[in-house]
Amino acid sequence: MDKKLLIGAIALAVLSFGGGAYYGRCHLYSHSLSHIASAYNRAAHSGHSGSQTVAGVICAEELGCPYNPDQAHAYWQQAAEQNLPSAQYLTGYSYENALGTERDYIKACQFYEQAAAANHPLAQRQLGYMYFYGKGTAEDRAKGKQLLQKAADRGDAQAKSFLNELYNPKQK
């Protein structure tokens, strides 16, 4: 099996498990990456929020289809409207990083807030950064640290590293 296909299949399987997407219908290990992408796009067009989330990742990461950040953002936003925390996080990410949309830190914070409220550790981390640095919201370092700590407690390595540097700066 092609290494890219295997990596893509594993990534999709992991995302699918969390999002409830059509894992069983895609036969991830028996078809090409473009076949997998096509199956997720069909499921996404039918309104399945988990499939919309995965199809957005497929579009953003060129896994079996051309790079299409506009479509990725659209899929994530549709799934976010169905209250899927991973899609809320990705929609916030797309607003924060101008991926398929205009950069908008206020909207990024709004979507991160929704996902963070559902204990999504990546959203907690990103929202923590937003508060810590005052992007899209008033600067509130205490709230930023609190959110980063929640993410770190849920196993987020970047949040742990940030807090470690913050509390234990290297001596020069």
Side-chain angles (χ1 to χ4, degrees):
M1 174 179 275
D2 173 276
K3 186 175 182 179
K4 185 175 180 181
L5 176 59
L6 179 60
I7 292 168
I10 292 168
L12 291 174
V14 169
L15 287 168
S16 299
F17 181 75
Y22 293 3
Y23 173 76
R25 296 186 187 174
C26 289
H27 308 289
L28 293 178
Y29 297 104
S30 63
H31 296 290
S32 71
L33 207 49
S34 62
H35 180 271
I36 295 167
S38 177
Y40 274 102
N41 279 317
R42 282 192 309 275
H45 284 292
S46 75
H48 188 268
S49 63
S51 295
Q52 290 167 334
T53 303
V54 174
V57 172
I58 289 169
C59 292
E61 296 294 327
E62 298 180 85
L63 296 170
C65 66
Y67 177 67
N68 189 341
D70 296 337
Q71 185 62 60
H73 175 74
Y75 278 144
W76 294 333
Q77 197 156 29
Q78 290 169 8
E81 291 169 3
Q82 297 179 59
N83 297 317
L84 189 64
S86 58
Q88 293 165 335
Y89 161 72
L90 288 165
T91 304
Y93 179 87
S94 66
Y95 277 116
E96 181 182 6
N97 296 285
L99 181 67
T101 188
E102 295 290 321
R103 185 178 318 274
D104 188 330
Y105 292 127
I106 294 171
K107 284 184 180 179
C109 279
Q110 291 169 347
F111 282 99
Y112 287 151
E113 286 275 1
Q114 293 170 10
N119 291 317
H120 192 285
L122 300 177
Q124 290 169 329
R125 177 198 347 124
Q126 289 307 116
L127 186 59
Y129 290 149
M130 301 292 268
Y131 274 102
F132 194 84
Y133 293 111
K135 286 187 173 183
T137 186
E139 184 179 302
D140 185 340
R141 292 198 170 207
K143 187 168 184 173
K145 289 176 191 176
Q146 180 184 35
L147 286 159
L148 286 159
Q149 188 61 58
K150 283 183 181 182
D153 291 346
R154 297 183 82 64
D156 186 271
Q158 288 180 345
K160 285 180 186 178
S161 178
F162 181 86
L163 290 170
N164 188 45
E165 285 293 317
L166 192 62
Y167 293 117
N168 303 307
K170 293 179 181 174
Q171 300 294 325
K172 292 187 179 186

